[in-house]
Amino acid sequence: MALYALGDMHLSFQTDKSMNMFGSVWKKHEQKIEKYCHKLIQPEDTLVITGDHSWGRSLEECRLDLEFIEQLPGRKILLRGNHDMFWDVKKTQRLNEEFQGKLQFLQNNYYTYEDYALVGTKGYTFEGPFYLNHRGQIIGWDERKEEQAKKLVLREEVRLRESFEMAKKDGFQRFIMFLHYPPTNVMERESVFTRIAQEYGAEHVVYSHCHGESRFHDSIQGSFHGTEYHLVSGDYLRFRPERII
C-alpha cells in the first residue's frame, strides 16, 4: 500500500481550455495522467490530487472531468485549488456525500493513511506583481496586493490549524500536510505554513500550482527543518504521480 500525489490536472473535457501555453509537455496530458496512474497505482493505494482538477466553473461543467478522476486506480482524495470554481468551501460535506465511495474531498477535515492523518487546505501565497531591476532582481512589489494576500493567508492558516487539531484530538501524532499553493513565495525562506508544519511535526508537505520551468523552484523542495517538501505540479512531474511514502 502506497501514498501518491499529483497536482494540477487542469482537465477540460467539457470546456474549451488549453494549457499548451506552458509547453509541449501539456500535449495530450490527459492520456499521460491515465497511462502513468494505471502503471504505478494499485487498487489498495491512495492518490492525493492537490487541486486545479477542472476548468469547469460549476459542478455540471466538471462532471466528465470528475468521472475521469473516478476511473483512475486507488482511493482518490481531492484538495481544493484556486481554479476549482465548482467547489464551494462551505459545501465540502455535500460533495463528500454526493461522491461517497468514489472521491473524497479534503477541506476542513482529515483522512487517514495507515497511522498518518492527511490534512490540507488550498493555502495562499503572494505572487506579485514584483518589480525587477535590469538584472532581474526583485527591488519592490505591490504592497496593496500584498496586504490582501496576508488576509487570505490568515484565512487558510485558520482552516489548516482546525484540521490539524481535529486529527490531533482523535489521537493522531503523525501528519502529512497538503497545499495547493506553494508554502512560500519567491521572497520567503519560511512562512506561516512552514511554521505550522514544524509545530505539528508534519513529516511531509506536498504542494503544486507552479507551472513552467521558470516557476519550478519558486519555493522549498527537499528537507527543511525536518520536513520533506514535495512539488507535485503535473508538468513538473510530467504527469507521473510521485510516491510520497
Side-chain angles (χ1 to χ4, degrees), residues 74-102:
R75 175 176 64 145
K76 279 78 62 179
I77 299 175
L78 278 61
L79 188 72
R80 185 165 164 260
N82 61 302
H83 288 297
D84 292 321
M85 302 302 176
F86 74 94
W87 184 344
D88 185 327
V89 68
K90 297 178 181 178
K91 298 179 180 178
T92 301
Q93 183 58 34
R94 186 180 301 178
L95 286 172
N96 276 317
E97 291 170 358
E98 179 170 347
F99 290 90
Q100 187 173 8
K102 300 177 181 178

Side-chain angles (χ1 to χ4, degrees), residues 133-234:
N133 62 18
H134 68 283
R135 296 180 179 178
Q137 299 168 319
I138 296 174
I139 57 173
W141 53 88
D142 189 317
E143 294 183 1
R144 185 173 60 180
K145 290 191 175 182
E146 182 190 26
E147 284 303 310
Q148 175 62 18
K150 287 179 179 178
K151 295 177 183 178
L152 298 177
V153 166
L154 178 60
R155 181 189 66 187
E156 293 299 303
E157 175 191 358
V158 170
R159 289 172 174 166
L160 185 59
R161 284 190 180 278
E162 287 178 352
S163 297
F164 268 110
E165 288 298 325
M166 195 182 305
K168 191 174 178 181
K169 184 179 179 181
D170 289 342
F172 285 90
Q173 298 179 350
R174 303 183 76 184
F175 304 98
I176 299 176
M177 176 176 138
F178 295 89
L179 299 168
H180 173 67
Y181 280 93
T184 65
N185 67 32
V186 296
M187 299 184 297
E188 296 174 320
R189 183 54 182 164
E190 60 179 28
S191 71
V192 65
F193 299 112
T194 64
R195 290 190 287 273
I196 288 175
Q198 189 175 0
E199 176 184 342
Y200 287 93
E203 295 182 23
H204 300 266
V205 172
V206 184
Y207 67 95
S208 53
H209 184 71
C210 302
H211 297 309
E213 290 187 14
S214 64
R215 299 291 309 277
F216 289 160
H217 300 286
D218 279 1
S219 194
I220 302 166
Q221 294 186 48
S223 182
F224 182 71
H225 290 324
T227 298
E228 288 293 324
Y229 285 77
H230 308 257
L231 171 62
V232 297
S233 298

Side-chain angles (χ1 to χ4, degrees), residues 9 11 13 25-39 68 71-72 238-239:
M9 290 189 176
L11 300 171
F13 290 110
V25 67
W26 287 92
K27 186 176 182 180
K28 297 183 179 179
H29 76 286
E30 302 93 341
Q31 296 177 19
K32 298 174 185 176
I33 293 169
E34 192 169 38
K35 178 180 75 173
Y36 288 125
C37 284
H38 281 280
K39 181 178 180 180
F68 173 88
Q71 61 83 35
L72 297 175
R238 305 189 76 83
F239 306 101

